[in-house]
Amino acid sequence: MAVLRVKFTKGQRDKLAQMLWLLNWVSVMTGIILFSLGLFVKVEFSKKEELMADRDFQPVLNLLIAVGLIACIINLLGGKICYDCVDTNKFLRWKLLILPYIICSFFFTGCMLVGALMCYSMQEELQESLAEGLRDVMRYYKDTDSPGRCFLKHTMDLLQIQFQCCGNRDHRDWFHIQWISNRYLDMSKREVVDRLHSNVEGKYLLDSVPFSCCNTNSPRPCIQYQITNNSAHFNYDYLTEDLNLWKRGCHQALVEYYTKLMHSTGSTGLLIWLFELSILTGVRYLQTAMENVLRQGDPESESDGWLLENSLVETARNNFNILKNLDSTA
């Protein structure tokens, strides 16, 4: 027994073909949107790749780009098929190709679904990657003379200014690393030497932060040095003062930004997947209805269309037998 059988008149078949032709062109546009969105996200990840540890997010983004591009090609072909289905004679050109087209399109929509769902599953890996990457960039912030690291100071400063953040988790992360190069330390001063010798690792540690941590919206001049020293500043209490530094850590800022970007991309992908699935369903109805017209021999007669000619169990059994026969033949 056919699954979801529907009866179509000649006029209904023509309207279905015309509607599917139009929807396929709309789907070409949605494919361009998905391709452009995947490309944009890929560029955004590339801009901050030095802030991420060795985690490769490119396969997911490449999948979205490829799916968007393939969607354009598939729907251009689908539009042509649906346009020709208005005429029974033109339908004969596509009769043997429509079923393989539907099967390939079905697996393609499956890839689209996988890509969309993977956008929602990247958050934990993204958090770990950014936490480790930011920690390394902050550690090498001072190495402006080292090949391969000289750009990291500019990268970190630009990040803190653009995303209005400070440090990895917060501004106190800068207290535990030496972010001023020894090149700019006056070793003739006793206090500098004493500070270097005050810890086992011989680092010049300060309760201070780079200038890029300063909140430009604060009415008070930026306090970026001796942050925890109340006596160093007039009318200042470190424990109660609303610091004129960015409060949010850069890890949180980046995770929120990329999570929002990936969730938006995933939601768009899911909506396009549903749209593609509805078009594919319509094409299947049109195909079976047109094939039944050919069997009846009267182009003006009514015909039945369906999703599956037999029940789900029978269809699965038949496909299993076909695969079994192919295996035994091989």
Side-chain angles (χ1 to χ4, degrees), residues 9 40 48 59 63 66 69 72 91 100 114 140 142 189 211 227 235 237 251 265 269-270 272 285 298 312 315 317 323:
T9 63
F40 170 74
K48 299 291 186 292
L63 176 61
L69 190 60
C72 297
F91 171 75
V114 169
Y140 302 131
K142 69 180 185 303
K189 291 186 176 181
F211 77 97
I227 295 174
N235 193 22
D237 185 351
H251 178 267
T265 304
L270 286 176
I272 294 175
Y285 272 116
D298 182 6
L312 289 172
T315 302
R317 186 185 297 116
L323 292 174

Side-chain angles (χ1 to χ4, degrees), residues 15-296:
K15 288 181 180 179
L16 178 61
Q18 292 168 0
M19 182 180 68
L20 289 172
W21 171 79
L22 178 62
L23 290 178
N24 270 287
W25 276 104
V26 174
S27 194
V28 170
M29 299 304 298
T30 61
I32 294 174
I33 291 173
L34 187 60
F35 171 80
S36 303
L37 192 56
L39 197 61
F40 170 74
V41 176
K42 184 181 177 71
V43 171
E44 288 299 299
F45 268 83
S46 299
K47 287 180 180 178
K48 299 291 186 292
E49 61 183 355
E50 64 269 15
L51 299 173
M52 300 178 186
D54 295 332
R55 306 287 203 287
D56 192 5
F57 301 104
Q58 298 302 318
V60 178
L61 304 177
N62 291 337
L63 176 61
L64 291 173
I65 293 171
V67 162
L69 190 60
I70 294 171
C72 297
I73 299 172
I74 285 180
N75 287 293
L76 282 172
L77 178 60
K80 175 60 176 173
I81 292 173
C82 294
Y83 182 81
D84 286 346
C85 283
V86 176
D87 187 338
T88 307
N89 294 324
K90 290 183 178 180
F91 171 75
L92 289 172
R93 304 174 189 171
W94 302 102
K95 184 176 182 297
L96 297 178
L97 294 177
I98 291 184
L99 186 57
Y101 167 81
I102 292 174
I103 294 173
C104 291
S105 297
F106 179 77
F107 283 106
F108 161 73
T109 56
C111 293
M112 183 179 292
L113 176 62
V114 169
L117 293 178
M118 287 180 71
C119 290
Y120 290 95
S121 63
M122 293 172 57
Q123 184 171 356
E124 184 175 349
E125 188 176 357
L126 182 64
Q127 288 178 342
E128 294 176 359
S129 176
L130 286 171
E132 187 176 343
L134 282 168
R135 189 164 52 246
D136 290 340
V137 171
M138 291 176 63
R139 184 185 306 141
Y140 302 131
Y141 179 88
K142 69 180 185 303
D143 298 341
T144 52
D145 297 326
S146 302
R149 298 178 184 173
C150 55
F151 63 93
L152 293 179
K153 179 184 182 299
H154 174 264
T155 299
M156 192 65 195
D157 284 333
L158 195 61
L159 169 69
Q160 294 188 140
I161 292 171
Q162 287 182 338
F163 283 81
Q164 299 183 350
C165 59
C166 184
N168 193 340
R169 301 294 177 180
D170 58 36
H171 69 278
R172 288 171 293 186
D173 292 330
W174 290 109
F175 298 175
H176 306 294
I177 63 171
Q178 179 180 340
W179 57 271
I180 301 176
S181 173
N182 286 346
R183 178 182 179 183
Y184 304 106
L185 298 178
D186 186 357
M187 296 301 180
S188 63
K189 291 186 176 181
R190 181 61 181 271
E191 61 183 78
V192 173
V193 176
D194 288 345
R195 187 170 290 275
L196 286 171
H197 293 161
S198 65
N199 60 88
V200 177
E201 296 180 347
K203 295 180 179 180
Y204 188 72
L205 303 180
L206 296 169
D207 55 343
S208 59
V209 297
F211 77 97
S212 52
C213 279
C214 294
N215 185 343
T216 55
N217 300 318
S218 173
R220 180 170 187 163
C222 185
I223 298 176
Q224 65 179 109
Y225 291 100
Q226 297 184 343
I227 295 174
T228 60
N229 186 357
N230 293 335
S231 61
H233 311 284
F234 175 73
N235 193 22
Y236 176 77
D237 185 351
Y238 171 67
L239 297 178
T240 60
E241 177 77 13
D242 186 11
L243 296 178
N244 54 359
L245 307 175
W246 300 121
K247 294 182 179 179
R248 187 171 58 162
C250 291
H251 178 267
Q252 179 187 350
L254 285 174
V255 167
E256 288 177 355
Y257 174 72
Y258 282 112
T259 298
K260 184 178 179 180
L261 203 58
M262 294 306 296
H263 285 183
S264 299
T265 304
S267 299
T268 303
L270 286 176
L271 289 174
I272 294 175
W273 171 73
L274 289 172
F275 187 62
E276 292 280 351
L277 202 59
S278 64
I279 293 176
L280 193 58
T281 302
V283 173
R284 174 59 175 167
Y285 272 116
L286 183 61
Q287 175 225 353
T288 52
M290 292 299 294
E291 287 183 349
N292 285 327
V293 166
L294 293 177
R295 292 192 189 101
Q296 294 168 189

